Amino acid sequence: MSPDGAMLVLLPMLCLLSGATWAATLGGLGDKIQILVPEKFQGVANFSTFLLDRSSGTLFLGARDAILAVDTNKLNQKPKVIVWDVPEEKRRSCVAKGKTEVDCNNYIRLLEFLGDGRIYVCGTYAFDPQCAFLELSSFTLEKAEDGGVKMETGKGKCPFEPSQHYTAVMAAGTLYTAATSNFLGTLFDISRATGAEQERIRTERSINWLSDPEFVSSAFIEQSAGSNPTGDDDKIYFFFTEVAKEYDLYTKVKVPRVARVCKSDVGGMKTLQRRWTTFLKAQLVCEDKPSGQRYNILTDVFTTEHTPGDPSSTHFYGLFTSQWEREELSAVCVFSLSDISKVLDGPFKELKKTCENWINPDPVPTPRPGQCLNNALKAEGFESSLKLPDKVLTFVRDHPLMENSVTAAPLLVRKGIRYTKLAVTQTGSEDDERRAAVLHLGTDRGELHQVAVVGQNATLLQELSLFTSQEPVNNILLHQGRALVGSPLSLARVQAEGCSLYPSCVVCARARGLGCVWSTEDEACRPTTAEPGPGDIVDNALRQCDMAEGRCTPSTRELRVSLGLRLLLPCVQLSPRSCSWEHPPHRHTRQHHSDLEVTVTEDSLGKYICTCQEAGPGSRDPTPCRRAAYHLTLEGPSAGGAVAAAGGRHVLAIYILFFVLGLAFGVFLLYFVTRRRSIARQGHHLPDNSLSSDKGRDLLGSSATPQSPSSASLLSEGFRLTEKRNGTATTNTTTTLLSNQGNGGHLGNSYSGTLIHSPSNGHGNALYANCNTSSSGLKLTSDNLAANLLDGRTGGREMGRPEAVERKSREGGEVDEGLGDGLKGLEEEMASFPLFKSPAPLAKCEESSI
C-alpha cells in the first residue's frame, strides 16, 4: 500500500481513538469539574466581580445590569437575579456624550460586605458611577422613598468605564479604592472612599505619586494583637503598574509598584490636607538573573498567609508579563511582606535634578516620613498625622519613591501563554522543609493550569480546558478544596486539592512534594506522610514509574521527513520554566509554547534538542534539563520522493487528458459521419468532385457565412475535474501525526505532507489530525494545461459547422447506414461513465472546439 493510502486508512482510526480518549478524559473528570454555561444565567453576561460568602457557600456575581447569587454547593439550582439597569433617558445622554451603547450600561464593579447583613454594590451606571445597598436576607436592593433604588454617588469608589483597571478592599468597614476619578479617565486616585467626610483622603495629584497607573490588586494587612508589641498601625497595600519617571529614556518604561498607606492616616494640618501622609511606593523586580530577563508588567496579585493567623507571614504572589517581548509570556514571582517592609523602611529616591547633574539629596527629617503611627510616636506627642511637622510632610510629598527595589526570582516562566488570574493553595508551614504550594493559573483562552511549587522547583501538574477560547479567565476563588473559576460568560467549579486529582503515575510523581505517592495496588495517586528521600524528590518518584527514559536523558529520535513538510516537534515541560531549542543555523522554525514547528528544507536537516530550565534540590538558580532530542533526515532511498510523486501525478493527468480528448474526438467524428448519411438518406445529390482546398479557404474566409456561437470545450465546461466528487471536495493534503506520550512515545519512520495541526491546549502530548479532511485523490487542477493541449486544434473547426457539413454532403460522399444504431449504443455506454457525469448536462455541440 502506498504511503498516501496508508494515511487515508489510519486517519479515521486515529480520529476515533482521539475522540474516545477525550470522552474518557471528560468522563474521568466529570465528578471533579462542573461548569455553568451561559444558557444557565438567563441572558445575564459580562461577569466581572466575585464575592463569596464562605459561611453559606453563596457566590455573588457582578454583571452587566444585574447581580446574581449562585449556591456553589448546588450548582444545578437556578441562580437568583437582581436587575439594576440604567434608565433609557440616561442611556441616551451617555451615548450623546460620545460613548458607545454597549458601554452605557451599568456594569457592577464592586461587591463588598459591610458587616451588618448588607453588601455594598457599585456600578458604572452609564459613566456616572453609583452605589447601592443589597439586603442579604431578602436579596433585594434598598429602596428610596420614591420606590426606586436607593443610590449614592460612586465617584472615587468605582471606575467610570467598564474596562478600566480598578481595585478596592474593605478594611474594618471602610472602603479603600484605587480608581479613576473623572469622566475622561485621566485622573487617578488611591483614596479612603467611605467613612467620615473629614477622613476621606486621597493621593496628591502629582506624576511623582501616580504616573498613568494600571491598578491590579489591593490587600488589607491587619496587625494581630499578640504579635504587635510596638502598637504598629494596620496597613493597606496597593499593587499597580505605572510609567516610570526615574528612567529618562526615549520611550515610556513601565514598572510594577507596591504602595502602602496606613489605616489611621487622616492627612496633614496645612501641608497635604486631605492627602495621604504615609503614601510610600517601591518598585517590584521579577527578574530571571541567569537570562537577564525582567518582567515589568504586573497583571494580578494573590495574597496569602504562609502561616494562618500570622500576618507577618503574608506573601504576595505576582503574575507578570513583559513589555518588551512580542510573543505571549507569563512569569510568577512571590514577594514577602517582610521584604517589602525593609525596602519601605530604607533610603528614599531623589528625583530632583538640575540641568548639569544631580543635586545633593535632601536630609531625611525626624520623625521618619511615611511611617505609620506606633507607641513610640504617640509617646513623643504625635497621636495623629495632623500633628506631624511641615518639614516631614513636605519631604513625603516630594519623595514618595524608595531607592531600593523588592526583588524576587520567578517561580515559573512560560512562553506562548498569557495567564490572567492567579490563586494559591498552601501545604505545610513556612518553616517546614516540605512546604509547598499549588498555583492555579487562569489563561486568556479559558484554561486552568495547576503548577506545584516545592521549594524553588515548579512542576506542571495538569492543564484543564474549561471555557471556549474566546472566554478569558477573569476570576478565581478558592473555597473548601475547590476553585471557583469565572469568565465573562460562564462559571466552573473545579477540585483544587487532593492527590486524587492526578490520574497517572507520572503526574502523581510530579506531585510528590505535595505529599502524594502512586499506589501500584490501587492504580491511583494517594496521600502519604512518608518523608521523601534525599535528592530530587520528583526525579526519585519518577523512577518508580514504568518509564523508558530518564527525565533529563532522552534518547535521540530519528525522524525521516520530506522536503516542504511542516512538522511539530514536541517538548514536554516537566517544570514550567522557559525552554529553548538547539537547531541548525539556517532553519525555518517557530516555537509554540515549548514545542517547535519546523519547515523542512535542505538547511533544516540535522539535530534538534529541547532544554528546559529546572531548579535542582537545594538550589535557587535553575539548572538545564534536556527534555527531547530529534534528528531529521530525508526519507527514502530517494530524497525527492515528494517531488517524484508530484511529477508522477502530472504525467498521469496528461495521459487522462489525452484519453478524454480521444474519446471526444471519436464522438464528434461519429456524429459527423452520421449526419452525412442522414442527409444522403433524405435524397440530397452531391456533386462528383470533392471539396477543393480553394473552396475550403473561401468558406473559412467568408463573412457572409452565419457563425454559430462557439460551444465551450468538453474539458472546460462539460465537466470540471476540480469539482467535488461524490459530494466531497478532493484535496492533496497529507497530515503529519506525531505522538509523544510522556517521554516514551513511539514515532513512525516516515512523514510526508504539508498540513500541521497544533495541539488543542498548546502543550499536549499528541498531535491530532483534522478528522474532516477528505481522502486524498487524483486531482487535475491545471486549466492552463488543458488550454495548451487544445491550442493548435482549431484548424478543424470548419468541419464542425453545419454549413461545411452540408456543402460536403452536396459534393459527394458515401453513407454507412449501419452506423446510426452503433453510435447510439456508444453514446449510452459513454454516458454511464462517472467521468462524464457533471452538475449540468452537456450542451448540444453545433461547433466543435476540437
Side-chain angles (χ1 to χ4, degrees):
M1 182 181 294
S2 66
D4 287 350
M7 186 62 69
L8 295 178
V9 174
L10 288 175
L11 272 177
M13 297 176 62
L14 289 171
C15 291
L16 290 175
L17 288 174
S18 64
T21 304
W22 176 246
T25 303
L26 291 179
L29 295 175
D31 56 339
K32 301 175 184 177
I33 298 178
Q34 285 188 279
I35 300 177
L36 289 182
V37 294
E39 291 75 13
K40 299 290 185 179
F41 292 105
Q42 309 168 43
V44 180
N46 293 96
F47 308 125
S48 59
T49 308
F50 276 20
L51 179 66
L52 179 64
D53 184 356
R54 298 187 179 275
S55 61
S56 64
T58 302
L59 179 66
F60 299 94
L61 296 87
R64 182 181 61 193
D65 296 331
I67 306 160
L68 284 79
V70 178
D71 188 349
T72 59
N73 300 315
K74 302 176 182 178
L75 290 182
N76 323 350
Q77 290 186 356
K78 188 176 180 181
K80 299 179 182 178
V81 181
I82 295 177
V83 176
W84 184 22
D85 54 5
V86 180
E88 187 60 32
E89 181 179 342
K90 190 170 186 62
R91 193 190 311 272
R92 289 197 299 267
S93 175
C94 173
V95 174
K97 294 177 182 178
K99 304 301 179 180
T100 64
E101 292 187 4
V102 175
D103 288 343
C104 291
N105 289 287
N106 187 24
Y107 292 86
I108 310 302
R109 297 297 306 276
L110 174 69
L111 293 171
E112 288 289 347
F113 290 112
L114 289 175
D116 57 357
R118 297 185 300 171
I119 295 178
Y120 198 52
V121 183
C122 296
T124 59
Y125 210 74
F127 280 80
D128 182 21
Q130 298 292 324
C131 296
F133 299 90
L134 190 154
E135 293 283 353
L136 285 174
S137 57
S138 59
F139 193 66
T140 57
L141 295 177
E142 285 189 8
K143 302 294 184 181
E145 295 180 356
D146 59 358
V149 176
K150 180 182 177 181
M151 296 186 295
E152 61 182 33
T153 180
K155 293 180 180 178
K157 308 171 187 177
C158 177
F160 285 72
E161 189 174 352
S163 60
Q164 284 176 341
H165 296 273
Y166 161 75
T167 182
V169 63
M170 190 71 74
T174 303
L175 183 66
Y176 295 80
T177 63
T180 55
S181 57
N182 66 336
F183 180 84
L184 297 176
T186 57
L187 299 179
F188 305 91
D189 285 330
I190 293 177
S191 63
R192 182 185 291 123
T194 61
E197 186 65 29
Q198 65 274 13
E199 294 181 356
R200 296 190 184 184
I201 59 177
R202 58 177 176 81
T203 47
E204 182 79 356
R205 294 279 167 78
S206 168
I207 60 173
N208 288 339
W209 284 46
L210 293 174
S211 175
D212 196 15
E214 295 178 358
F215 300 113
V216 173
S217 181
S218 53
F220 172 52
I221 306 300
E222 186 175 9
Q223 295 290 342
S224 60
S227 60
N228 188 22
T230 61
D232 201 4
D233 196 9
D234 298 335
K235 302 171 183 66
I236 300 94
Y237 292 85
F238 293 90
F239 297 88
F240 55 94
T241 302
E242 69 173 353
V243 177
K245 305 307 295 182
E246 64 266 33
Y247 300 126
D248 189 10
L249 299 176
Y250 67 93
T251 187
K252 292 183 178 180
V253 178
K254 294 184 177 182
V255 293
R257 305 280 202 205
V258 55
R260 185 190 72 184
V261 296
C262 300
K263 182 171 173 287
S264 61
D265 190 356
V266 292
M269 179 62 72
K270 296 180 181 179
T271 305
L272 294 180
Q273 281 187 341
R274 306 288 294 272
R275 303 293 186 269
W276 295 107
T277 65
T278 56
F279 179 83
L280 297 176
K281 65 179 181 179
Q283 181 176 347
L284 299 174
V285 175
C286 180
E287 182 180 16
D288 185 23
K289 291 184 178 180
S291 64
Q293 176 71 52
R294 182 174 290 192
Y295 311 96
N296 65 324
I297 305 294
L298 185 63
T299 58
D300 191 34
V301 173
F302 183 83
T303 304
T304 182
E305 294 180 353
H306 279 188
T307 303
D310 182 10
S312 64
S313 68
T314 299
H315 283 66
F316 305 98
Y317 288 79
L319 189 57
F320 292 84
T321 186
S322 177
Q323 177 184 1
W324 314 109
E325 294 291 332
R326 293 184 178 179
E327 65 176 336
E328 293 179 334
L329 184 71
S330 295
V332 175
C333 280
V334 58
F335 305 91
S336 67
L337 179 62
S338 59
D339 289 342
I340 293 175
S341 299
K342 289 177 183 177
V343 172
L344 295 177
D345 292 338
F348 296 90
K349 194 175 191 66
E350 182 63 65
L351 291 178
K352 296 179 181 179
K353 62 179 178 177
T354 63
C355 295
E356 286 92 16
N357 48 28
W358 292 91
I359 64 173
N360 294 328
D362 295 336
V364 179
T366 55
R368 178 179 170 84
Q371 68 173 320
C372 297
L373 293 179
N374 53 27
N375 293 337
L377 284 177
K378 292 176 183 178
E380 296 178 10
F382 302 107
E383 297 89 358
S384 169
S385 61
L386 296 172
K387 300 288 187 69
L388 292 173
D390 283 348
K391 62 178 181 179
V392 173
L393 301 180
T394 302
F395 189 92
V396 170
R397 182 190 62 193
D398 298 334
H399 301 80
L401 181 62
M402 309 311 297
E403 176 68 28
N404 298 328
S405 301
V406 189
T407 61
L411 296 176
L412 68 88
V413 176
R414 296 205 72 182
K415 293 183 178 180
I417 293 177
R418 187 169 74 88
Y419 288 128
T420 55
K421 296 297 291 186
L422 167 69
V424 182
T425 54
Q426 297 284 335
T427 60
S429 62
E430 187 173 12
D431 299 331
D432 190 355
E433 294 182 357
R434 291 183 59 192
R435 180 181 61 84
V438 177
L439 309 182
H440 308 273
L441 298 155
T443 74
D444 61 344
R445 301 186 183 97
E447 298 172 337
L448 181 69
H449 296 180
Q450 292 182 329
V451 176
V453 179
V454 183
Q456 295 297 320
N457 197 6
T459 303
L460 184 65
L461 296 177
Q462 63 179 351
E463 299 174 339
L464 304 175
S465 181
L466 301 179
F467 314 123
T468 65
S469 59
Q470 289 77 32
E471 296 182 61
V473 174
N474 60 3
N475 280 287
I476 301 178
L477 287 178
L478 301 176
H479 177 59
Q480 295 181 349
R482 296 171 176 171
L484 302 174
V485 186
S487 76
L489 299 175
S490 308
L491 174 67
R493 188 184 68 188
V494 183
Q495 183 177 341
E497 296 179 3
C499 297
S500 59
L501 282 175
Y502 316 118
S504 67
C505 179
V506 173
V507 179
C508 184
R510 298 175 189 175
R512 181 64 183 94
L514 303 177
C516 298
V517 66
W518 183 257
S519 172
T520 55
E521 297 179 358
D522 302 334
E523 290 293 324
C525 193
R526 302 298 186 197
T528 180
T529 57
E531 292 290 335
D536 191 335
I537 58 176
V538 175
D539 211 10
N540 291 337
L542 283 172
R543 293 192 184 98
Q544 307 301 320
C545 301
D546 185 15
M547 299 180 62
E549 300 173 356
R551 186 174 56 156
C552 296
T553 57
S555 60
T556 301
R557 301 172 187 177
E558 295 286 339
L559 301 182
R560 296 165 56 193
V561 296
S562 59
L563 295 177
L565 174 69
R566 291 173 61 207
L567 189 68
L568 190 70
L569 302 179
C571 177
V572 180
Q573 284 179 279
L574 182 62
S575 171
R577 292 178 181 266
S578 59
C579 295
S580 60
W581 283 84
E582 300 175 25
H583 38 56
H586 303 291
R587 85 290 178 214
H588 298 280
T589 62
R590 188 173 66 173
Q591 191 163 338
H592 297 278
H593 306 281
S594 59
D595 304 331
L596 189 70
E597 179 186 331
V598 181
T599 301
V600 179
T601 63
E602 292 284 356
D603 296 330
S604 62
L605 301 175
K607 290 185 177 180
Y608 290 78
I609 299 174
C610 176
T611 303
C612 298
Q613 299 297 322
E614 300 183 10
S619 174
R620 290 184 61 90
D621 296 330
T623 57
C625 174
R626 180 176 293 189
R627 297 293 301 129
Y630 304 94
H631 188 268
L632 303 188
T633 58
L634 287 180
E635 66 176 351
S638 71
V643 178
R649 292 191 185 100
H650 291 150
V651 172
L652 182 60
I654 293 174
Y655 281 132
I656 293 179
L657 280 175
F658 275 112
F659 174 76
V660 172
L661 290 175
L663 288 178
F665 181 80
V667 170
F668 288 115
L669 182 62
L670 290 175
Y671 173 79
F672 169 70
V673 173
T674 304
R675 184 173 180 81
R676 287 181 56 194
R677 295 190 180 278
S678 63
I679 293 174
R681 193 179 293 113
Q682 294 174 4
H684 291 281
H685 301 283
L686 302 179
D688 292 337
N689 57 330
S690 61
L691 181 65
S692 67
S693 59
D694 291 338
K695 290 181 180 180
R697 282 194 293 271
D698 291 341
L699 177 63
L700 288 174
S702 173
S703 60
T705 304
Q707 299 291 329
S708 61
S710 176
S711 63
S713 167
L714 177 64
L715 278 176
S716 60
E717 292 295 335
F719 59 91
R720 299 274 304 176
L721 294 178
T722 57
E723 294 282 41
K724 294 183 178 180
R725 300 183 181 181
N726 299 327
T728 304
T730 60
T731 176
N732 282 335
T733 299
T734 305
T735 306
T736 300
L737 295 178
L738 188 56
S739 177
N740 181 9
Q741 298 293 338
N743 295 321
H746 174 71
L747 295 172
N749 294 326
S750 179
Y751 302 88
S752 62
T754 57
L755 180 64
I756 186 166
H757 296 272
S758 299
S760 61
N761 62 357
H763 188 74
N765 291 332
L767 187 63
Y768 298 105
N770 185 352
C771 302
N772 294 326
T773 302
S774 65
S775 55
S776 175
L778 178 63
K779 182 178 177 182
L780 304 178
T781 59
S782 177
D783 290 338
N784 294 332
L785 178 61
N788 292 336
L789 291 174
L790 294 178
D791 287 346
R793 284 192 294 273
T794 56
R797 286 184 178 176
E798 71 276 5
M799 299 307 296
R801 296 190 182 96
E803 294 82 2
V805 174
E806 185 176 358
R807 177 170 297 192
K808 181 70 176 177
S809 299
R810 290 194 186 102
E811 293 177 359
E814 296 295 327
V815 178
D816 187 355
E817 297 181 0
L819 286 178
D821 296 337
L823 175 62
K824 182 176 179 181
L826 179 61
E827 289 176 345
E828 292 177 355
E829 182 178 356
M830 293 185 66
S832 65
F833 287 111
L835 188 64
F836 287 91
K837 292 182 179 180
S838 62
L842 293 175
K844 183 177 180 180
C845 294
E846 298 178 355
E847 178 182 347
S848 173
S849 60
I850 307 246

